[in-house]
Amino acid sequence: MERIPVLKIGDTLLVSIQTDLHDQMVLALQEDLADRIAATGARGVLIDISGLEIVDSFAGRMLAAIAGISKILDAETVVVGMRPAVAITLVELGLSLNGIKTALDVERGLRLLS
Amino acid sequence: MERIPVLKIGDTLLVSIQTDLHDQMVLALQEDLADRIAATGARGVLIDISGLEIVDSFAGRMLAAIAGISKILDAETVVVGMRPAVAITLVELGLSLNGIKTALDVERGLRLLS
């Protein structure tokens, strides 16, 4: 099965999501990420979604779940790289990504976490 | 068309390749990367291939082409995250990735470039 790479940069783990994830991939990603947080003691998680053209309620719940898991493991999650059109669609759909921190790009996300 | 995100971290651009790329995606990636190097003045390019289970001669040529383009634009390329099995296969195939710098993971790649 295809797995999304989890990259370590200093105290932060970076995940670049480039395709719509199905259930199994989401579960694998959550597991990999939790393992890596525990193994590395990372304090921040950056999820880059600049490769996603659509963020629906399933993806929104996935992001919220990742943020929730990370928080329990004492790491903060920031979602970065959201396309302007995605932000517009999310608000139109009434999905406000409550409780998920966002930043414009990876650099600003890293600054937010440091 | 799907495009691979190019992420900026300081003076370095990071590309996480997670699927086998076909011709059009390779051309788009080379174009995006060249544009971003020119726009940002980045001095380093990190290509993470930890998501690839197979690196064949086509992928090898793609990595060499990216390194060549980056070099002309005054940026150094480091390929990171190669799986052990991929390294073994490459050597068995007689593909030695000449002229391409490698590092074990993103962190070591960033250190190599700094």
Side-chain angles (χ1 to χ4, degrees), chain A residues 63-97:
Chain A
L63 295 173
I66 287 176
I69 294 167
S70 304
K71 196 177 174 190
I72 294 176
L73 295 170
D74 199 22
E76 192 172 15
T77 301
V78 178
V79 172
V80 301
M82 187 181 294
R83 300 184 182 204
V86 168
I88 293 169
T89 311
L90 278 179
V91 172
E92 280 174 357
L93 290 174
L95 299 169
S96 53
L97 298 187

Side-chain angles (χ1 to χ4, degrees), chain B residues 2-3 10 16 21 57 60 64 66 74 78 91 103 105 107 110-111:
Chain B
E2 219 180 313
R3 295 180 98 96
S16 171
L21 305 187
S57 60
I66 287 176
D74 199 21
V78 178
V91 172
D105 53 33
E107 283 201 302
L110 280 172
R111 235 176 289 148

Side-chain angles (χ1 to χ4, degrees), chain B residues 47-66:
Chain B
I47 312 282
D48 174 76
I49 59 167
S50 59
L52 293 186
E53 283 175 31
I54 296 166
V55 174
D56 55 10
S57 60
F58 178 76
R61 280 198 303 277
M62 169 195 73
L63 295 173
I66 287 176

Side-chain angles (χ1 to χ4, degrees), chain A residues 1-2 4-5 7-10 14 16 18-19 48 50-51 53 106-107 110, chain B residues 1-2 4-5 7-10 14 16 18-19 48 50-51 53 106-107 110:
Chain A
M1 189 192 56
E2 218 180 313
I4 313 290
L7 309 176
K8 183 170 177 292
I9 300 171
L14 171 65
S16 170
Q18 301 175 1
T19 52
D48 175 75
S50 59
E53 282 175 32
V106 170
E107 284 202 301
L110 281 172
Chain B
M1 190 191 55
E2 219 180 313
I4 314 289
L7 309 176
K8 185 170 177 290
I9 300 171
L14 171 65
S16 171
Q18 301 175 359
T19 52
D48 174 76
S50 59
E53 283 175 31
V106 170
E107 283 201 302
L110 280 172

